[in-house]
Amino acid sequence: METKTKIAKAIIKVMKEVKGMEKNSRVGAGTKGAYDGTKDQDVKEIFNKALSENGLCMLQIGIEEETQIDRWEEEDAWSKSVPKAMKSKQSVFTKVKVKYLLLHDSGESIELAGYGHGVDPQDKGAGKATTYAMKNCLLYSFCTPVAKMDDT
């Protein structure tokens, strides 16, 4: 069995440096469906610093993607005509499983994985899904707590 002591030590150092993240962003509006989240930029800034200072980089090496597009017609609430005009709507749901290579400057590496999904009425579902997959991978691979989790 191959020993990967250098990468293991670097991972432990990153875990010690990145002690936690805050949910500092409100996603959505109103009380229905809105939630607090952690900004992608904040996750990447903190991990970029910690990974690079410990000789680590993370490269995307594979992606499995599934997309589902649903289209329907609905009444246009802004229409002045009687009966109200209809408009076409769509929802694009994308889910991804992404493989990453965590590479140490010693040449040692390990594979990591992340899962993400995203919904958008146009073309941004894939971007949302891959962003979430990377955040998920970083936070879970390095056992990073995110604010207080209320999983009761």
Side-chain angles (χ1 to χ4, degrees), residues 92-113:
V92 180
F93 174 81
T94 306
K95 66 180 178 179
V96 296
K97 294 178 187 174
V98 185
K99 286 185 184 178
Y100 301 96
L101 184 68
L102 185 65
L103 181 62
H104 188 254
D105 59 15
S106 67
E108 295 175 357
S109 65
I110 58 170
E111 279 191 23
L112 304 175

Side-chain angles (χ1 to χ4, degrees), residues 72-85:
W72 67 94
E73 296 279 323
E74 70 179 39
E75 204 173 76
D76 184 353
W78 299 99
S79 174
K80 303 241 189 268
S81 66
V82 178
K84 292 202 177 275

Side-chain angles (χ1 to χ4, degrees), residues 48-49 54 56 62 65 86 117 120 124 150:
N48 186 31
K49 183 178 185 304
N54 289 289
L56 295 166
E65 170 269 338
M86 299 298 285
H117 61 268
D120 194 78
K124 298 190 180 40
D150 186 10

Side-chain angles (χ1 to χ4, degrees), residues 19-33:
K19 296 190 185 308
M21 302 286 304
E22 293 299 318
K23 289 187 176 188
N24 56 3
S25 178
R26 189 75 175 158
V27 181
T31 57
K32 232 182 193 181

Side-chain angles (χ1 to χ4, degrees), residues 58-63 98-101 130 134:
M58 197 164 105
L59 308 171
Q60 181 177 308
I61 58 170
I63 188 166
V98 185
K99 286 185 184 178
Y100 301 96
L101 184 68
T130 53
M134 180 175 250

Side-chain angles (χ1 to χ4, degrees), residues 1-54:
M1 183 173 157
E2 184 182 350
T3 305
K4 297 189 177 195
T5 56
K6 292 178 183 174
I7 195 169
K9 287 178 182 179
I11 290 169
I12 292 166
K13 285 181 182 179
V14 171
M15 292 171 76
K16 288 179 179 179
E17 290 174 23
V18 183
K19 296 190 185 308
M21 302 286 304
E22 293 299 318
K23 289 187 176 188
N24 56 3
S25 178
R26 189 75 175 158
V27 181
T31 57
K32 232 182 193 181
Y35 61 94
D36 292 326
T38 304
K39 291 181 184 177
D40 176 61
Q41 178 180 347
D42 293 343
V43 172
K44 286 179 181 168
E45 282 178 359
I46 287 171
F47 276 102
N48 186 31
K49 183 178 185 304
L51 291 170
S52 61
E53 286 178 354
N54 289 289

